[in-house]
Amino acid sequence: MDTFLGTVHGLAWAVYVGGALIMELVLRHAQVYMRPSQVGVVCQRAGQRYRWWALASLAVLGFTGALMVLRLDGAELAARAGSPALSLDDSYGRTLVLLAALWLVLLAIVGEIAFRVHPAMHARVSSSMSEQQVRRERRRMGAAIQRMNRLLRLELAGALLALALGTTLRLGGIA
Amino acid sequence: MNLASINWPLLIYSVFHAVAIAVYLGGAIAMEFILMPAQSAIPPAQAQVMGEKTSDRFLKIVWGALAVIVVTGFLRLYELNFLTAGWPPFKSPLDFDHSYGRTLFAMLLVWTLLVLNGAVMTFVLRPRLSGRMAAGTSAAQATSSQNARISAARWVQYLSRADIVLAMLAVLLGASLGLGGLL
């Protein structure tokens, strides 16, 4: 059971971090060579899929992570190198709390991307709009794209930090 | 536990090892299930440009990740005192008598398969996919070249999916190592 949980947890991390990295390092790079109109279509499609993958991965991470903590045996834990303990007085316990906090932050960022920023990136321009309204709409979209870029980078940094923190748990934590 | 008692080299190698695995597996899944479907939403000529650029960049990331995985894997074993400079280099439990050793050798085998797949994709299939037809090419040559490209694209897809399955297997084996191995 522990191997199964560890595998599912590891897979969810890989999907989440790998997805964030591909969006940042591969998709952004490819956009330079594409026509602006196609960039919009690809980003919209990729973004739609990515947000559900990211949300599902985070849900799996939270669920399997909580189960793994619940299944921790105090005696078995104390027998590990450095005798870690599930307490705020110990680096292991503090690292776990930090990880839980980071998970919440990542969930908030992905939620913001999925339910607010991504829908705001869609253009709502029609032939009946005045020039001023079209300009305002374009400004709004530009602001949403910039906000999306900032959030994606913040998310990637948070995901990498959480992955690093999680890895330190095997060695007793670092916080 | 205090910070002074942490084995910092082991910790740094472990972090890089985990990030490289996440980049490899998560990247392959994202390419297959996020970027490929998005690519199908634009005209074929643009989709080909996007496919070439994303694949070129991703292959570089893949080779980097595979290199980091094996280097940090061996460095971790060294820090854990499972490797020696003498002969044989592997110390107990890195032998076929222990589940830990068998599982680790299976992981090494999976890594080798991933490298082989990566080499076939980089040096055999990618050049076929990105080949340009010269002026004066006959209709028969153009058809043959087109068929070769379609076949290469199909093989890239098969190998990419095989890579995802192999990498998931490696994660399963790796997760079991913390509990003494699986095999």
Side-chain angles (χ1 to χ4, degrees):
Chain A
M1 183 64 178
D2 287 332
T3 298
F4 173 74
L5 281 177
T7 304
V8 176
H9 198 73
L11 288 177
W13 264 127
V15 169
Y16 183 58
V17 175
L21 266 166
I22 288 298
M23 296 296 278
E24 185 63 36
L25 298 181
V26 177
L27 184 58
R28 201 180 290 278
H29 165 75
Q31 285 172 11
V32 178
Y33 302 92
M34 292 157 62
R35 289 190 194 132
S37 57
Q38 309 299 346
V39 170
V41 175
V42 167
C43 286
Q44 194 183 334
R45 285 290 184 100
Q48 264 171 2
R49 281 187 163 245
Y50 172 69
R51 60 181 172 173
W52 295 119
W53 277 90
L55 278 172
S57 302
L58 278 175
V60 172
L61 278 170
F63 183 68
T64 52
L67 275 180
M68 283 158 83
V69 170
L70 287 174
R71 285 176 61 82
L72 272 178
D73 176 8
E76 184 258 335
L77 194 63
R80 287 189 198 171
S83 306
L86 267 181
S87 152
L88 283 178
D89 296 330
D90 189 79
S91 172
Y92 190 89
R94 286 195 298 272
T95 306
L96 268 180
V97 171
L98 202 57
L99 266 172
L102 255 177
W103 181 79
L104 285 174
V105 170
L106 288 172
L107 198 64
I109 292 174
V110 176
E112 173 81 2
I113 288 174
F115 302 114
R116 286 184 60 181
V117 185
H118 192 262
M121 284 171 69
H122 299 175
R124 294 181 194 94
V125 180
S126 69
S127 54
S128 61
M129 289 169 106
S130 68
E131 205 173 304
Q132 197 182 7
Q133 284 172 316
V134 171
R135 266 206 303 273
R136 198 182 311 137
E137 185 63 16
R138 285 198 181 132
R139 265 203 306 275
R140 187 191 59 76
M141 264 183 65
I145 289 170
Q146 278 189 348
R147 188 161 170 71
M148 176 69 102
N149 285 342
R150 278 199 300 271
L151 283 173
L152 281 174
R153 283 179 184 152
L154 191 65
E155 183 200 8
L156 180 60
L160 286 171
L161 177 64
L163 183 60
L165 277 176
T167 309
T168 69
L169 282 177
R170 275 269 151 219
L171 303 166
I174 199 171
Chain B
M1 171 168 256
N2 61 48
L3 293 183
S5 66
I6 290 176
N7 181 341
W8 284 97
L10 180 61
L11 190 138
I12 291 165
Y13 302 148
S14 300
V15 169
F16 276 96
H17 196 69
V19 171
I21 291 167
V23 167
Y24 185 91
L25 175 58
I29 290 176
M31 287 291 287
E32 184 70 27
F33 298 107
I34 296 176
L35 287 198
M36 289 271 279
Q39 202 175 307
S40 65
I42 56 175
Q46 276 291 301
Q48 194 184 351
V49 173
M50 181 186 164
E52 274 181 24
K53 296 300 173 191
T54 53
S55 303
D56 286 348
R57 173 59 74 101
F58 182 59
L59 277 175
K60 285 177 192 157
I61 293 174
V62 159
W63 283 114
L66 283 172
V68 172
I69 287 169
V70 76
V71 170
T72 51
F74 276 103
L75 286 171
R76 287 181 80 233
L77 290 176
Y78 184 77
E79 282 299 324
L80 288 166
N81 262 332
F82 292 165
L83 284 180
T84 59
W87 190 261
F90 303 113
K91 282 165 52 174
S92 179
L94 280 191
D95 50 43
F96 287 108
D97 295 332
H98 293 86
S99 175
Y100 192 96
R102 288 192 296 272
T103 305
L104 208 81
F105 284 114
M107 286 176 74
L108 203 56
L109 186 69
V110 169
W111 179 85
T112 309
L113 287 173
L114 292 175
V115 168
L116 285 175
N117 274 358
V120 170
M121 279 200 256
T122 308
F123 303 114
V124 181
L125 299 173
R126 284 294 305 154
R128 278 190 207 166
L129 279 173
S130 56
R132 300 271 182 268
M133 270 183 272
T137 306
S138 69
Q141 284 172 319
T143 309
S144 154
S145 162
Q146 188 65 20
N147 287 340
R149 275 191 208 186
I150 291 170
S151 164
R154 200 179 300 130
W155 273 103
V156 166
Q157 198 169 32
Y158 290 151
L159 290 178
S160 303
R161 287 181 181 168
D163 276 355
I164 291 174
V165 174
L166 283 169
M168 286 170 84
L169 176 66
V171 171
L172 168 70
L173 293 170
S176 77
L177 281 181
L179 302 162
L182 191 70
L183 304 176

